[in-house]
Amino acid sequence: MNRLFWWRRWFLGRGGVALLAALAASSFASTLHAQTSCDTGTSALDPTPPKGTTPAEIVQKFAAKETIFKQARESYSYTLDVTVQTVLDSKIVDGEFRRVWDITHDGRGKRQETTTFSPHSTLTRVNMTQEDFDDLRNHPAFQLTSDELPQYDVLYAGQQHIDEIDAYVFNVAPKHLGKGRRYFQGQVWVDARDFLIVKTCG
């Protein structure tokens, strides 16, 4: 199975995170070559260097925002909407799993999950394991925080327009692989105005 892409956004207020919203989309292809395109909704990649800043500065800024996002996610309530699909020839969806959770915390800060939508799964070509469910619920999107940054090579790839957002694109790969650890390898799209990761693909 190959997780392809994730689109997400959140809003930062003066006092930190004013609203946290998570939307997950994860697609699994029949082979590694028949994948949903990561470039859906994007313009052609422009390799021109950023103006008024450097790739290194952009990386430091979005890593700092990712740190804030990670801390907020551990205490804020939000809705998690997950869709897993199998795709034929990068076009035809022939199976789908979807589940929606409301994530809240009790008075002691303990995380609570309530399933609000769970239609019958039509997946037939892949099996969802307990590990998959745990990943979807607890690790819904790759977060490249300041403390995790030294573990990765982050290389500037260019600029793209993604939906209504101008974004910087970076190629990300782990420097070393440790046993029992999970890593990300792929691309991230960073909002050129707010320096937030808005899409990952890998």
Side-chain angles (χ1 to χ4, degrees):
M1 290 191 299
N2 186 33
R3 187 162 300 158
L4 297 178
F5 67 88
W6 195 289
W7 172 263
R8 62 192 168 105
R9 285 217 219 155
W10 58 92
F11 305 90
L12 300 178
R14 292 182 181 178
V17 175
L19 172 64
L20 177 62
L23 172 63
S26 185
S27 299
F28 298 89
S30 56
T31 70
L32 294 181
H33 299 289
Q35 299 178 353
T36 298
S37 174
C38 295
D39 293 326
T40 300
T42 63
S43 63
L45 182 67
D46 177 7
T48 304
K51 295 180 180 179
T53 187
T54 66
E57 290 174 339
I58 296 171
V59 170
Q60 294 299 322
K61 288 180 180 178
F62 78 66
K65 294 288 182 71
E66 288 286 281
T67 301
I68 295 173
F69 176 72
K70 183 177 181 179
Q71 292 170 346
R73 185 177 174 273
E74 293 174 353
S75 59
Y76 273 64
S77 298
Y78 57 94
T79 295
L80 180 62
D81 187 333
V82 174
T83 299
V84 177
Q85 297 175 331
T86 51
V87 183
L88 288 173
D89 300 323
S90 302
K91 297 177 181 179
I92 302 171
V93 175
D94 68 340
E96 180 176 283
F97 163 88
R98 187 180 178 202
R99 186 163 296 175
V100 181
W101 292 274
D102 279 342
I103 311 298
T104 59
H105 297 81
D106 62 19
R108 298 180 180 178
K110 183 178 180 180
R111 175 183 167 120
Q112 296 180 320
E113 302 174 2
T114 303
T115 301
T116 59
F117 186 64
S118 182
H120 176 71
S121 173
T122 58
L123 293 176
T124 58
R125 294 190 291 114
V126 297
N127 294 320
M128 295 287 291
T129 66
Q130 186 58 48
E131 185 180 53
D132 293 326
F133 284 115
D134 291 343
D135 278 346
L136 293 171
R137 287 173 24 249
N138 300 315
H139 308 284
F142 169 67
Q143 295 173 331
L144 187 54
T145 59
S146 297
D147 59 338
E148 296 169 341
L149 195 57
Q151 302 176 34
Y152 288 89
D153 289 320
V154 185
L155 302 177
Y156 178 76
Q159 302 177 51
Q160 277 186 319
H161 192 72
I162 171 173
D163 290 338
E164 75 278 15
I165 296 174
D166 291 320
Y168 300 116
V169 185
F170 289 86
N171 294 321
V172 179
K175 293 180 178 179
H176 306 285
L177 297 179
K179 186 177 180 180
R181 296 275 321 267
R182 291 180 180 274
Y183 297 93
F184 174 85
Q185 182 170 340
Q187 288 186 317
V188 298
W189 284 256
V190 180
D191 189 320
R193 184 186 66 181
D194 297 324
F195 301 102
L196 305 170
I197 293 180
V198 292
K199 178 180 176 181
T200 63
C201 181

